[in-house]
Amino acid sequence: MKILITGGAGFIGSHVVRLFVNKYPSYQIFNLDKLTYAGNLANLADVADRENYTFLKGDIVDAAYLDETFSKYNFDAVIHLAAESHVDRSISDPLAFVYTNVIGTVNLLNTARRHWASNLQDHLFYHVSTDEVYGSLGAEGMFTEETAYDPRSPYSASKASSDHFVRAWYHTYGLPVKISNCSNNYGPNHFPEKLIPLAINNIRNEKPVPVYGKGENVRDWLYVPDHARAIDVIFHEGKVGETYNIGGVNEWKNLELIELLCDLMDEKLGRPQGRSRQLITFVKDRAGHDLRYAIDSSKLMNELGWEPSVTFEEGLSKTVDWYLQNTEWLENVTSGNYQSYYEQQYVSR
Ligand code: NAD
Ligand code: TYD
């Protein structure tokens, strides 16, 4: 089987590529990535030389490139992760999200459909999406696969749109599709402008840890290798045309999560308990900040037998260890463009 994984040089994509390359030596895995600020081939250094792995540098917004690539490699299936993924960036540059997340996804759907036309049923288009398409919850309730879409940020609106197009290709053209909507991921290789890796990096450097608003927003955190395992299970055993929610059963208020992280890092860095909490700095809230996400993954758990493999404390501890052992990776990705992003996002507030 030849599988095209898009966005494989990013955070989640690199864990999916690694899992598939290692677990399925008989599959050919093709990683198509534009290598934006978020894409980093160092994330895949350990599998780069494998015989069943090929990297393709390309942009999903470029339909002619996709056409040539599908002709050349004759893929059996697509796992689509390539996206602009950061809510804060979507607020300052929404069009970039429309191009990659909406137009890029429609280009991929069009290309797959055209190239697979003679035997559509032997192929699969698996679209990886987010729980943010469902909008924002109050104190109660959880998102299920039946929850109506209610996206509120340019990022979630672009992902919701891409999900709708994927379903439209299933119903209108009979393209075999699967969709999963996952909660917030954390773990190794997470670009340090998202909350957890940014906080780890700032605590390490004894810099202020910015908490938006009062830190009362709630996210449901999942360890990234567990998301990759869920994608593997859904890809192989999920039903065509279906949607699966993936979550960590692990809700945390941002402030409580940051306090836990501060205490964990004090312990690991041999600092007096309470020292890193002094770095917590409340900053201006994000515009349209969704209050709470919580995901009900009982369909995935009951039908396909998936469940998270680690507790949050274990996953967070492994994550902190990874960042403390991979300071070169961290320093590479926090130089250059990252510095100007950071100054724009925080210093001018
Ligand atoms: P990421 O930003 O770390 O990686 C995205 C990757 O896509 C990068 O390697 C980037 O270079 C590539 N890319 C961007 N634009 C491209 C283009 N036009 N053509 C080709 N490649 C392009 O994102 P992530 O956090 O790994 O998220 C991966 C997917 O999972 C996204 O679709 C995202 O919406 C979804 N998701 C993420 C989370 C999360 O917590 N991070 C949760 C649920 C779902
Ligand atoms: P983020 O990692 O950007 O993920 P998402 O917005 O997709 O959930 O943010 C997670 C939560 O942390 C979100 O409620 C915003 C908040 N946050 C901060 O409080 N400070 C920060 O510096 C960042 C990046 C996020």
Side-chain angles (χ1 to χ4, degrees):
M1 172 143 54
K2 291 183 178 179
I3 306 178
L4 174 67
I5 299 181
T6 68
F11 168 47
I12 300 169
S14 62
H15 287 268
V16 176
V17 167
R18 176 176 301 102
L19 177 68
F20 274 69
V21 167
N22 285 331
K23 188 169 171 188
Y24 302 107
S26 66
Y27 293 0
Q28 285 294 323
I29 304 300
F30 296 83
N31 168 18
L32 189 164
D33 199 295
K34 184 181 171 183
L35 300 182
T36 66
Y37 78 93
N40 185 351
L41 287 179
N43 293 348
L44 288 168
D46 55 328
V47 297
D49 295 330
R50 294 294 175 77
E51 269 181 20
N52 65 336
Y53 172 74
T54 307
F55 174 66
L56 306 169
K57 184 169 188 304
D59 186 344
I60 58 168
V61 177
D62 182 347
Y65 167 79
L66 288 182
D67 194 44
E68 274 167 37
T69 308
F70 271 70
S71 295
K72 187 164 173 191
Y73 296 107
N74 207 9
F75 305 118
D76 297 296
V78 172
I79 305 179
H80 176 37
L81 295 107
E84 288 292 339
S85 68
H86 190 186
V87 174
D88 291 322
R89 285 186 186 251
S90 83
I91 294 169
S92 48
D93 182 14
L95 256 188
F97 287 68
V98 177
Y99 284 120
T100 288
N101 300 0
V102 184
I103 296 174
T105 301
V106 175
N107 277 342
L108 265 176
L109 289 164
N110 261 336
T111 313
R113 177 185 160 234
R114 258 202 327 273
H115 283 263
W116 298 345
S118 60
N119 55 345
L120 268 186
Q121 69 290 349
D122 297 335
H123 295 87
L124 177 64
F125 190 104
Y126 180 166
H127 178 60
V128 175
S129 193
T130 166
D131 63 350
E132 302 190 25
V133 299
Y134 298 122
S136 179
L137 291 165
E140 299 292 318
M142 292 182 119
F143 300 133
T144 72
E145 288 81 1
E146 276 70 49
T147 302
Y149 276 32
D150 186 19
R152 287 143 183 264
S153 74
Y155 164 65
S156 55
S158 69
K159 290 297 291 188
S161 171
S162 67
D163 293 10
H164 290 320
F165 276 109
V166 172
R167 289 196 185 93
W169 259 244
Y170 171 68
H171 290 291
T172 309
Y173 305 111
L175 184 75
V177 307
K178 297 178 186 178
I179 299 180
S180 55
N181 295 84
C182 189
S183 62
N184 287 58
N185 285 213
Y186 70 97
N189 305 104
H190 204 182
F191 194 78
E193 65 182 27
K194 305 275 178 81
L195 180 66
I196 290 182
L198 183 137
I200 292 174
N201 192 31
N202 286 14
I203 294 169
R204 184 175 80 93
N205 293 317
E206 298 198 79
K207 281 175 54 182
V209 178
V211 172
Y212 295 168
K214 293 184 182 154
E216 284 175 348
N217 304 67
V218 175
R219 298 292 183 262
D220 174 356
W221 294 95
L222 180 68
Y223 190 49
V224 64
D226 284 336
H227 187 187
R229 284 175 44 247
I231 289 173
D232 177 19
V233 170
I234 295 166
F235 178 83
H236 288 97
E237 291 163 38
K239 288 195 196 119
V240 168
E242 299 264 325
T243 295
Y244 296 88
N245 280 352
I246 311 170
V249 202
N250 181 38
E251 288 182 53
W252 284 81
K253 279 190 181 167
N254 290 341
L255 181 58
E256 287 167 9
L257 158 54
I258 294 301
E259 287 173 346
L260 176 71
L261 195 54
C262 286
D263 296 348
L264 181 66
M265 288 193 66
D266 280 345
E267 200 181 298
K268 289 192 188 278
L269 294 168
R271 294 178 183 164
Q273 269 301 323
R275 165 108 156 256
S276 296
R277 284 189 185 215
Q278 291 167 14
L279 299 169
I280 293 173
T281 307
F282 293 95
V283 299
K284 190 176 150 209
D285 208 354
R286 172 187 283 170
H289 196 172
D290 288 340
L291 178 65
R292 174 172 166 257
Y293 304 142
I295 200 142
D296 177 349
S297 10
S298 50
K299 177 177 173 184
L300 174 63
M301 290 173 160
N302 297 337
E303 291 184 13
L304 304 183
W306 171 91
E307 57 181 33
S309 69
V310 292
T311 63
F312 192 44
E313 284 73 7
E314 285 164 350
L316 208 52
S317 174
K318 287 183 189 203
T319 303
V320 171
D321 289 344
W322 187 86
Y323 281 92
L324 295 179
Q325 284 155 17
N326 288 273
T327 48
E328 202 181 322
W329 182 94
L330 200 49
E331 269 144 32
N332 263 335
V333 299
T334 51
S335 57
N337 287 343
Y338 177 83
Q339 285 304 337
S340 47
Y341 165 83
Y342 196 88
E343 275 155 33
Q344 238 179 358
Q345 178 69 13
Y346 296 102
V347 179
S348 63
R349 275 164 187 266

